[in-house]
Amino acid sequence: MTIGELLKSTRLNAGWTQKEMAAGVVSESFYSKVERGIHNIDADTLVKLLKARKINPVGFFKQAIDIAGNEKNTASNTIIFKTMHATNSRDLQEWQQVFEEYKESKEKGVEYTQWVSYVLDLGRAWILRSPENITPKTRDQIKRVLNEKLEYIYF
């Protein structure tokens, strides 16, 4: 995943427009070209942009390094990114296309992390505004994660 793709993913997760994400640090046009990989953004400008949007630069760069350093998860990251976009847009048709891509590639032997199925499941529930449609497997995973976090906080 490129810096532009990570910026886009971050922006879509936050529900911001490109203009909002550019935050007056760069023009909307320039920012759009960074997301699309047409222009590169220098480190100083990137840090200014992240700070203007109150995004922790250390966390952002750690995420970029984690993604770049883990080639095995490239397919997972791609599906997660596409699912996040469909979810943030509340576009069930787009979500369905991503789900079909996921199923077809799994049939061809592509391996995904366990989180992809959870993200897809939660994305569909979000789009439909229907938490009762979350699968038992995803519900159990959410409970496990919450219990681990609570144990960490309280014990």
Side-chain angles (χ1 to χ4, degrees), residues 83-101:
T83 302
M84 289 180 346
H85 185 269
T87 301
N88 289 330
S89 304
R90 291 199 182 229
D91 187 334
L92 187 58
Q93 186 175 11
E94 182 181 354
W95 179 91
Q96 189 64 42
Q97 290 171 344
V98 174
F99 183 70
E100 291 301 322
E101 178 184 338

Side-chain angles (χ1 to χ4, degrees), residues 1 13 30 45 47 57 60 64 71 76 80 92 112 124 128 133 141 148 151:
M1 182 176 280
N13 261 347
F30 178 82
T45 305
V47 169
F60 181 86
E71 291 300 318
S76 297
I80 288 171
L92 187 58
Y112 292 97
R124 182 175 46 86
L128 296 173
N133 286 331
Q141 182 61 22
E148 288 173 12
E151 287 176 14

Side-chain angles (χ1 to χ4, degrees), residues 20-21 48 58 61-62 84 90 93 105 131-132 150:
E20 290 169 326
M21 187 67 171
K48 286 178 188 173
V58 174
F61 287 114
K62 181 184 181 320
M84 289 180 346
R90 291 199 182 229
Q93 186 175 11
S105 57
E132 58 274 354
L150 290 175

Side-chain angles (χ1 to χ4, degrees), residues 20 31 63 91 105 121 144:
E20 290 169 326
Y31 177 80
Q63 188 176 4
D91 187 334
S105 57
D121 193 27
R144 266 193 301 279

Side-chain angles (χ1 to χ4, degrees), residues 38-83:
I38 296 169
H39 285 319
N40 290 322
I41 187 168
D42 66 75
D44 290 336
T45 305
L46 177 59
V47 169
K48 286 178 188 173
L49 187 132
L50 295 172
K51 285 184 176 182
R53 295 305 314 159
K54 295 184 173 45
I55 298 167
N56 181 334
V58 174
F60 181 86
F61 287 114
K62 181 184 181 320
Q63 188 176 4
I65 290 166
D66 288 348
I67 290 169
N70 196 347
E71 291 300 318
K72 182 181 177 192
N73 290 328
T74 300
S76 297
N77 292 332
T78 300
I79 292 293
I80 288 171
F81 174 76
K82 290 179 178 181
T83 302

